[in-house]
């Protein structure tokens, strides 16, 4: 379980492949976008962070050089009672809550860095957002979760 400011990292052979640092978590933020709708599932949760990826050289021997997907569908929500909501159900009415330029891109290519917001439409105002992988599957990496 990670706290705001801690890094979710994938390392291989001493090389950093990807690092995602969630700097803040906000429940039920004030939406400032141009197409604001109330949350379909009950509550918006916003994770604001930065992602850094390794260089192409770090991925040279991999059969596929991935982009890092930060699409909502790749995450899940787990309630305080253990009920899981899959990622595609977390999109809800979150689109348009914030201006596009404030959002984290859906995909970050190798060698790129990005910052922004990830928004989820969740059924409860407390629980955990879970990311099962950050880029390519790497042995001994079980994923990460942020509790709010």
């Amino acid at each position: 379980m990670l706290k705001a400011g801690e890094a979710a990292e994938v390392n291989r052979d001493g090389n950093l492949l990807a690092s995602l640092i969630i700097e803040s978590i906000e429940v039920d933020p004030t939406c400032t976008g141009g197409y604001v709708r109330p949350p379909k599932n009950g509550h918006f949760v916003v994770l604001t962070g930065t992602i850094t990826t390794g260089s192409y050289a770090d991925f040279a021997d991999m059969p596929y050089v991935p982009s890092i997907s930060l699409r909502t569908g790749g995450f899940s929500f787990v309630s305080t009672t253990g009920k899981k909501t899959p990622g595609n159900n977390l999109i809800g009415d979150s689109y348009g809550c914030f201006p596009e330029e404030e959002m984290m891109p859906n995909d970050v290519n190798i060698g790129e860095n990005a910052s922004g917001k990830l928004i989820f439409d969740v059924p409860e105002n407390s629980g955990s957002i879970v990311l099962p992988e950050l880029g390519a599957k790497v042995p001994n990496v079980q994923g990460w979760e942020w509790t709010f």
Side-chain angles (χ1 to χ4, degrees):
M1 196 170 325
L2 295 172
K3 295 181 174 127
E6 295 179 329
E9 293 186 337
V10 176
N11 292 285
R12 190 180 69 163
D13 301 328
N15 295 318
L16 178 67
L17 299 181
S19 173
L20 174 63
I21 298 174
I22 299 301
E23 290 120 12
S24 66
I25 302 170
E26 186 178 2
V27 179
D28 295 326
T30 300
C31 294
T32 59
Y35 186 65
V36 176
R37 295 177 293 173
K40 179 179 181 179
N41 297 323
H43 303 273
F44 288 140
V45 174
V46 176
L47 279 61
T48 302
T50 301
I51 186 165
T52 304
T53 63
S55 69
Y56 277 96
D58 296 330
F59 291 85
D61 64 340
M62 296 181 88
Y64 169 69
V65 179
S67 62
I68 306 299
S69 176
L70 295 174
R71 295 173 187 272
T72 304
F75 291 79
S76 61
F77 168 76
V78 179
S79 73
T80 56
T81 61
K83 183 177 179 185
K84 180 179 178 181
T85 304
N88 286 336
N89 294 344
L90 300 178
I91 298 168
D93 284 339
S94 63
Y95 179 80
C97 182
F98 292 99
E100 195 67 33
E101 60 271 10
E102 291 182 27
M103 302 303 296
M104 185 80 76
N106 285 331
D107 298 295
V108 180
N109 292 317
I110 301 309
E112 296 179 349
N113 304 318
S115 296
K117 299 177 186 305
L118 300 164
I119 186 165
F120 305 92
D121 190 338
V122 300
E124 299 179 27
N125 64 359
S126 61
S128 297
I129 298 292
V130 178
L131 178 61
E133 65 180 57
L134 191 56
K137 292 184 190 270
V138 176
N140 302 318
V141 174
Q142 300 298 313
W144 302 270
E145 68 179 270
W146 294 270
T147 299
F148 54 93

